[in-house]
Amino acid sequence: MITPTRTRARTSLTRRTALALAVLLAASAAPTVSAYAAEAPAEHVEGTLPSGAKYLMDKPANWNGTVLLFSHGYRPAGLPLAGQNASDDATKALLLDQGYALVGSSYATNGWAVTDAVPDQLATLDVFTARFGEARRTIAWGQSYGGLVTTAIAERHPGRIDGSLAMCGLVHGGVANWNNTLDPVFALKTLLAPGSSVQLTGFADQASAAAAAGTLGKTVTDAQATPEGRARIALAAALHNIPGWNDASQPEPAPDDWNAQQANQYQALQGMLSLPAFSWRQEAESRAGGNMSWNTGVDYTKMLRQSSVHKEVTELYKEAGLSLKKDLGALNRAPRISADPAAVDWMSRTSSFTGKLRKPQLTIHTTGDALVPVQVQSAYRRAATAAGSASLLRQAYVDNPGHCSFSPAEQTGALHTLEKRLDKGRWQGTDPASLNATSAAADPTTPARYIPYRPAPYPRPYDLAHPGDGR
């Protein structure tokens, strides 16, 4: 739990205090922003919602009237609950210094917890309003899985916010996410361990998921030692659009250094096998009531042609003396995995998007993200366009490897750009040069690396604006 420099009485919402909160929320004489903006001292508040979620609030002495509702990223089930109201300490300090109030909750449970996260975040806003008065403006923001939560709030509860900022978010939604997580492991099993009985979906418990991850992980480790294995690992990585430079600790490979790029992808794939593709999938399946993924009807030859790293795969196959056409044929002929319709329905209803925005949303993404590839932005753009919301959506890209590896300047610059849209009623300064200038002005001590970029098509989009896709 974070210990504040100056802390008012700790809030714990038992049944008795929840009733008092309800009375306070209903009171007509609730304090306003003006009552606090210039006079109240800085306050740090921690507490527990009736759901069990932990919340965290910081209101600076110079509150500018804007509250930022932060949704945190994925936390595996079993970890302690902890409130979080900013992406990182440096960005938090910068935003507090600029007068923003910061709030956020832990969610009542960890894991694929969208059904807890959205109501818990809205309840946290209620607590803030009851204690500090109505904000002049409310902006939802979040990173990674929290970008999914933020977009869910934006689409389903637009009356609670004025705009949203989704950073490195799963804006493609849950069905697309789990489908595309299936593709690389399906390729690894089919090409590196043909005939293996290793399980890819439908896990009974965490132990069975861990066993499958260990078996396939060892197979991949062994394959990495041969040119043929490396080529096939690159093919699997390409189906997830894993970039050849995806971690700041890796030297940036030359554009045609296929082996260095593949080595970086191998590391990212091993990370995927160790947690998301098996352990996190099993937890999500337990919520959905079954397997929510399928690859029936998928043309892997077509998918590879659309991949951002297609060229690398073709070159490594040539170097290994393998037939790419033959391996793609093996993938396309392999027995497929079907989904449980009820599980797909649950994931669709809780975690997929319509693209219908009522308030402006800005999304930012790094170009070198292996966990949530930048191509997810194409998926949400497609949904928003179909829903008639394209004018409310802007997307920007940071030239950096890694997942959510934004500087404080880049995050704050994006926030200020969204605020300009809210102030002016139209988008201004969303081009890379303007974003970099705004970011540098917000924090000249950290990098600003926005670039012109157009992501490749997302390989397996699924959204509620195109409900028949992928069936």
Side-chain angles (χ1 to χ4, degrees):
M1 189 67 71
I2 296 175
T3 302
T5 302
R6 178 172 182 172
T7 306
R8 293 279 179 100
R10 179 182 176 88
T11 304
S12 179
L13 292 181
T14 61
R15 182 175 303 176
R16 182 177 176 182
T17 54
L19 177 61
L21 173 61
V23 173
L24 183 58
L25 283 169
S28 58
T32 63
V33 170
S34 59
Y36 290 103
E39 302 163 9
E43 290 200 52
H44 174 90
V45 179
E46 299 180 20
T48 304
L49 296 173
S51 68
K54 309 294 184 181
Y55 65 78
L56 188 64
M57 302 179 184
D58 286 283
K59 183 190 76 66
N62 61 331
W63 184 31
N64 61 17
T66 295
V67 60
L68 304 181
L69 176 66
F70 181 76
S71 296
H72 68 70
Y74 186 91
R75 293 177 183 169
L79 291 182
L81 300 180
Q84 184 176 346
N85 62 357
S87 54
D88 58 83
D89 290 343
T91 302
K92 179 174 182 172
L94 184 62
L95 293 173
L96 288 173
D97 185 62
Q98 294 180 5
Y100 297 96
L102 308 179
V103 305
S105 77
S106 66
Y107 321 149
T109 59
N110 288 326
W112 194 268
V114 64
T115 53
D116 294 324
V118 172
D120 286 337
Q121 288 290 77
L122 297 179
T124 300
L125 274 182
D126 291 339
V127 176
F128 180 88
T129 302
R131 187 179 183 101
F132 298 115
E134 197 73 36
R136 175 181 61 87
R137 174 177 288 168
T138 300
I139 293 174
W141 69 309
Q143 66 178 9
S144 191
Y145 182 78
L148 182 146
V149 175
T150 295
T151 303
I153 292 172
E155 286 199 0
R156 300 169 194 169
H157 303 278
R160 300 299 306 274
I161 63 172
D162 297 287
S164 56
L165 170 63
M167 307 186 298
C168 54
L170 281 74
V171 294
H172 52 328
V175 173
N177 174 76
W178 292 112
N179 271 345
N180 201 215
T181 303
L182 174 63
D183 293 319
V185 294
F186 178 80
L188 291 171
K189 175 186 174 182
T190 301
L191 299 178
L192 300 180
S196 167
S197 61
V198 66
Q199 195 173 355
L200 301 182
T201 64
F203 304 106
D205 49 35
Q206 281 288 302
S208 61
T215 299
L216 192 56
K218 183 179 186 307
T219 298
V220 173
T221 298
D222 293 343
Q224 184 66 11
T226 69
E228 297 82 4
R230 291 192 292 272
R232 287 169 171 148
I233 291 169
L235 171 55
L239 298 179
H240 196 66
N241 276 290
I242 294 176
W245 187 37
N246 55 69
D247 188 322
S249 67
Q250 303 162 341
E252 181 176 9
D256 60 352
D257 190 344
W258 315 119
N259 286 293
Q261 292 176 39
Q262 190 277 339
N264 294 342
Q265 292 167 327
Y266 162 73
Q267 293 180 23
L269 270 175
Q270 287 287 33
M272 178 184 290
L273 294 174
S274 68
L275 286 174
F278 291 93
S279 174
W280 296 359
R281 172 183 287 281
Q282 188 277 330
E283 195 277 338
E285 288 182 347
S286 71
R287 291 179 186 263
N291 170 37
M292 58 280 175
S293 301
W294 69 90
N295 64 353
T296 51
V298 173
D299 183 343
Y300 285 110
T301 301
K302 180 180 178 181
M303 187 182 292
L304 178 62
R305 283 199 299 265
Q306 294 179 328
S307 174
S308 59
V309 292
H310 179 204
K311 176 66 172 174
E312 174 205 333
V313 175
T314 60
E315 293 301 319
L316 288 175
Y317 262 78
K318 290 178 185 176
E319 183 178 312
L322 285 177
S323 168
L324 179 56
K325 182 178 179 180
K326 183 178 179 180
D327 273 1
L328 288 169
L331 280 180
N332 284 333
R333 289 190 304 272
R336 297 308 177 90
I337 295 171
S338 298
D340 180 335
V344 175
D345 178 66
W346 184 91
M347 189 62 67
S348 179
R349 286 185 290 104
T350 64
S351 311
S352 294
F353 298 122
T354 65
K356 295 177 182 177
L357 292 168
R358 296 292 180 263
K359 303 290 178 63
Q361 181 175 84
L362 176 63
T363 68
I364 62 175
H365 217 110
T366 51
T367 57
D369 192 335
L371 183 61
V372 184
V374 66
Q375 288 74 26
V376 304
Q377 298 296 334
S378 297
Y380 196 66
R381 165 62 65 179
R382 167 182 179 268
T385 300
S389 302
S391 63
L392 289 171
L393 177 67
R394 289 295 182 273
Q395 297 171 310
Y397 303 96
V398 169
D399 185 24
N400 204 39
H403 180 53
C404 302
S405 55
F406 305 109
S407 70
E410 290 156 352
Q411 296 175 70
T412 310
L415 171 64
H416 290 176
T417 300
L418 175 61
E419 289 183 300
K420 289 178 190 175
R421 171 62 177 80
L422 301 181
D423 290 337
K424 303 294 185 182
R426 64 186 185 278
W427 290 107
Q428 297 179 341
T430 57
D431 61 283
S434 297
L435 280 164
N436 285 330
T438 301
S439 300
D443 178 21
T445 68
T446 58
R449 299 159 292 193
Y450 287 99
I451 61 166
Y453 189 82
R454 184 181 182 88
Y458 189 72
R460 289 234 264 151
Y462 177 95
D463 55 73
L464 302 183
H466 306 77
D469 282 10
R471 295 285 183 164

